[in-house]
């Protein structure tokens, strides 16, 4: 068997463990020097293949590779470029040229449902042209909305971050006799998994209400509930998904110099409504980028599964598989057990998995089944390496291939 | 010598180690059963003394007391109530009555410069009335703006949180070929210590520019620099203190139903200006409450000094001292050595200490002397206790005195 190179692509938004999948893939690649000639990274997602901008990860030293496990942000850079539908488009020719030039036989695409579209298109064209190039997907998204997998790599760590951060905010929010209406905005445009996670907190240090995009947002009920809770305990805490829909009063919205109406974040806009309608003090808190970029609240379960997914993608590709993504299937929750399977990308690309109604107790609280589902995913802490009080991160030399 | 009770007051905004000063005070109090009859906590700051709402901390179990070291938020509750100037005001009579009723001989006020005003007024009135009640101050503020102390308890941990969080954001911000103008808002109305701290990060993973309230904010220069940096590297990161002053265009500001103009946060408003004037994509990130409420990036140096300050306040009060605050004096930076002193509260109450010009290199970067000052304060990590993936926090029984 001829030796061939492998190339790894990071796509879409980062997670705190995104570079741990890469770590797993690199380590598995290194275990097969008889089959893998080079381990390349594609810079800025698919754009690296489009413009022949690859780096040789074999030139990085071992300490850097180990540090990938505590380095947030897509270390290879990322992209939201969507490949064209037409298989005859020049973009595919450019990509295939890069693959040929570097004798690449294995392509790994790490991403969410959009990125799996890239993975699907690449695997199809290689298949149609009869090229001996295996294309495999490695799951990743803090949103947890990938189909066909029990959960997505990165979700457990993001959930652990969100849960613990919201807990600290809940404690902080409770210290004054007369507090505020706190509105905490959490990532999730269409799927409310991360917002749901905060309902795992014990009573007294969790939000009073959570609002997922899966449910219709009832503004009047929200205002009524907030007011009642504020009157009862002197403050109120709501956690909302960024994607909840409500009618925003644009009569006093900002208009930029191009005449475009500028909406604020959901929490900020909702806070304005509370001030207007209830005349109560508010504080909007957007958890923002740290949700997907914190390495010091990484879930050990998530980290280990993520490394495993990277390893298995390489292992299966070397065994001849293509057009599949590594998925996690839950065997049991108590004790927590999973198995890993390769799933046909056709079932995953562009599909969104939202929180099922069966996991909700009512519009603003989760059912015990959600707790059973989510709690195992945030278990275990990792030993983060610091230098002079600052968390160490991998910095690549980026030697071009 | 008669045994007397001690009472502990938390005042103003929390820090991540605020309950560690309390821990130190409790432990020191327990070491003197011959002098201290009871250890009380005043609920909601000075209001507990005003309304005779005290709890008996002696009724809490040992595990709870230990957990204080990793519990954010003022566990006794807090208040921003300012005592009246007139010493004959009924409020003082109410407070003295509570002190007398519980046979309190030692009062500890934990807070920033406003809270030291409370401490000063209480110690003065006790002194004037010839009461044998010692009143001592315990420093605390993430803002680091207390006078007469090298740094304030809580600042080191907040700085460590801000530095590491901004680092992760900087890494996340760099992953796209064409990114955004990121504006990160950090606590500090008049003193920019926390914002200055992020300049400790290594080049490449730190903001391009920092803006402190100590300097005049030049909007035109900010826009010019941001544009140039964006063109150079595809994105730009600015860290600003919440207190920087710039002319906000209120012509398109929100107006609430009471006719009040609603300004956004400084970062959000500045982002709008960048969008309007430069037509570049932006992202405003307010670090918000977690800056003062995170226990898992606590600096060990800060934690240990904070406990020590709590202990020393009790020790000195038992030795007969009153009207003083425990201050930290730096002996040397390399190696880092400090000593603790009691300083007359008159020199501290209502005084604000801002970042000196000598620590700045220019308007948007810090000088090496600041690094030498700040770096020792973020050193050392603590071993945080988790339970099922969630950080454990102390919950008080709050048995009323």
């Amino acid at each position: 068997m001829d030796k061939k190179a492998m190339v790894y692509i990071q796509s879409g938004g980062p997670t705190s463990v995104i570079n741990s999948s890469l770590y797993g893939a690199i380590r598995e690649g290194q275990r097969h020097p008889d089959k893998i000639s080079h381990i390349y990274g594609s810079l800025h997602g698919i754009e690296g293949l489009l413009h022949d901008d690859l780096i040789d990860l074999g030139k990085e030293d071992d300490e850097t590779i180990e540090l990938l496990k505590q380095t947030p942000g897509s270390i290879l850079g990322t992209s939201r470029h969507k490949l064209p539908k037409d298989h005859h488009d020049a973009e595919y020719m450019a990509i295939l040229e890069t693959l040929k030039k570097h004798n690449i036989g294995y392509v790994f695409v790490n991403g969410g449902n959009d990125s799996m579209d890239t993975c699907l298109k690449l695997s199809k064209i290689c298949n149609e042209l009869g090229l001996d190039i295996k294309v495999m997907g490695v799951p990743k998204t803090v949103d947890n909305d990938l189909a066909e997998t029990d959960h997505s790599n990165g979700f457990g760590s993001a959930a652990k971050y969100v849960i613990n951060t919201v807990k600290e905010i809940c404690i902080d929010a409770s210290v004054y006799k007369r507090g505020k209406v706190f509105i905490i905005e959490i990532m999730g445009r269409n799927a409310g998994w991360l917002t749901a996670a905060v309902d795992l907190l014990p009573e007294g240090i969790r939000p009073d209400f959570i609002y997922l995009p899966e449910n219709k947002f009832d503004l009047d009920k929200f205002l009524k509930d907030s007011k009642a809770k504020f009157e009862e305990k002197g403050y109120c805490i709501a956690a909302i998904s960024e994607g909840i829909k409500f009618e925003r009063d644009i009569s006093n919205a900002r208009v930029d110099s191009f005449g475009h109406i500028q909406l604020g974040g959901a929490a900020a806009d909702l806070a304005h409504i509370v001030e207007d309608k209830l005349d109560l003090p508010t504080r909007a808190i957007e958890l923002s980028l740290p949700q997907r970029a914190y390495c010091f609240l990484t879930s050990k379960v998530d980290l280990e599964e993520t490394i495993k997914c990277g390893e298995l993608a390489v292992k299966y590709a070397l065994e001849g598989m293509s057009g599949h993504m590594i998925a996690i299937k839950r065997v049991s929750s108590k004790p927590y057990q999973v198995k890993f399977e390769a799933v046909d990308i056709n079932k995953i690309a562009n599909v969104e998995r939202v929180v099922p109604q069966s996991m909700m107790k009512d519009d603003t609280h989760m059912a015990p089944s959600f707790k059973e589902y989510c709690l195992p995913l945030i278990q275990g802490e990792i030993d983060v390496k610091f230098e002079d009080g600052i968390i160490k991160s991998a910095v690549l030399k980026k030697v071009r291939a």
Side-chain angles (χ1 to χ4, degrees), chain A residues 58-192:
Chain A
K59 303 280 196 238
E60 304 296 338
D61 57 41
D62 208 63
E63 198 203 340
T64 305
I65 302 298
E66 284 299 318
L67 278 176
L68 288 176
K69 290 181 283 184
Q70 64 171 48
T71 304
S74 319
I75 198 155
L76 301 173
T78 187
S79 162
R80 295 210 185 269
H81 183 81
K82 211 171 164 76
L83 288 177
K85 279 190 183 166
D86 179 7
H87 279 198
H88 302 289
D89 191 282
E91 286 200 357
Y92 290 101
M93 298 309 110
I95 290 171
L96 292 175
E97 204 164 304
T98 305
L99 294 176
K100 192 178 167 193
K101 176 182 168 189
H102 296 283
N103 192 31
I104 291 168
Y106 310 98
V107 180
F108 302 97
V109 182
N110 181 210
N113 28 37
D114 283 344
S115 309
M116 289 307 133
D117 176 75
T118 301
C119 191
L120 180 64
K121 283 171 177 160
L122 282 183
S123 71
K124 269 189 182 167
I125 200 163
C126 290
N127 194 35
E128 280 169 21
L129 296 175
L131 301 172
D132 186 22
I133 298 173
K134 311 301 177 197
V135 185
M136 291 288 285
V138 185
K140 171 236 73 176
T141 170
V142 295
D143 292 334
N144 205 36
D145 58 355
L146 272 165
E148 298 288 325
T149 185
D150 179 75
H151 53 279
S152 308
N153 300 145
F155 169 68
S157 297
K160 186 166 189 159
Y161 170 79
V162 167
I163 289 167
N164 279 288
T165 302
V166 169
K167 176 184 85 77
E168 309 294 50
I169 292 172
C170 288
I171 292 177
D172 193 295
S174 70
V175 300
Y176 287 102
K177 262 191 181 171
R178 187 182 149 86
K180 295 179 179 176
V181 175
F182 291 85
I183 303 171
I184 306 171
E185 181 175 334
I186 297 169
M187 282 182 175
R189 291 223 175 82
N190 301 310

Side-chain angles (χ1 to χ4, degrees), chain A residues 220-263:
Chain A
D220 290 334
K221 187 167 182 299
F222 165 80
L223 290 170
K224 206 181 129 205
D225 288 347
S226 299
K227 186 162 187 268
K229 191 56 75 175
F230 187 92
E231 280 168 4
E232 175 197 327
K233 61 179 205 178
Y235 68 103
C236 173
I237 306 175
I240 63 167
S241 280
E242 62 181 325
I244 60 161
K245 308 279 186 303
F246 54 96
E247 206 171 311
R248 306 196 188 190
D249 179 6
I250 55 167
S251 68
N252 53 23
R254 258 193 83 258
V255 180
D256 70 14
S257 52
F258 304 94
H260 302 134
I261 288 168
Q262 303 285 301
L263 292 174

Side-chain angles (χ1 to χ4, degrees), chain A residues 273-286:
Chain A
I273 294 175
V274 170
E275 287 161 17
D276 277 7
K277 307 269 184 191
L278 302 181
D279 196 20
L280 291 177
T282 65
R283 178 141 193 174
I285 301 175
E286 191 189 340

Side-chain angles (χ1 to χ4, degrees), chain A residues 23-87:
Chain A
Y23 171 85
I26 292 172
R27 289 304 188 213
E28 186 65 21
Q30 290 172 333
R31 279 179 211 119
H32 300 279
D34 51 322
K35 295 175 184 167
I36 304 275
S37 61
H38 294 87
I39 302 174
Y40 296 131
S42 173
L43 293 183
H44 294 291
I46 193 70
E47 295 179 58
L49 285 185
L50 270 169
H51 308 299
D52 188 16
D53 199 9
L54 310 184
I55 58 169
D56 187 347
L57 290 164
K59 303 280 196 238
E60 304 296 338
D61 57 41
D62 208 63
E63 198 203 340
T64 305
I65 302 298
E66 284 299 318
L67 278 176
L68 288 176
K69 290 181 283 184
Q70 64 171 48
T71 304
S74 319
I75 198 155
L76 301 173
T78 187
S79 162
R80 295 210 185 269
H81 183 81
K82 211 171 164 76
L83 288 177
K85 279 190 183 166
D86 179 7
H87 279 198

Side-chain angles (χ1 to χ4, degrees), chain A residues 15-19 67-73 75 295 392-394:
Chain A
T15 77
S16 72
V17 294
I18 188 168
N19 298 314
L67 278 176
L68 288 176
K69 290 181 283 184
Q70 64 171 48
T71 304
I75 198 155
C295 73
K392 290 177 85 169
S393 303

Side-chain angles (χ1 to χ4, degrees), chain A residues 209-218 221 225 239 357 360-366:
Chain A
F209 308 104
I210 60 169
Y211 299 90
L212 313 190
E214 284 84 351
N215 299 320
K216 191 172 147 36
F217 182 73
D218 182 339
K221 187 167 182 299
D225 288 347
Q357 291 293 322
M360 302 179 203
K361 189 173 124 197
D362 55 38
D363 274 10
T364 53
H365 299 92
M366 301 307 293

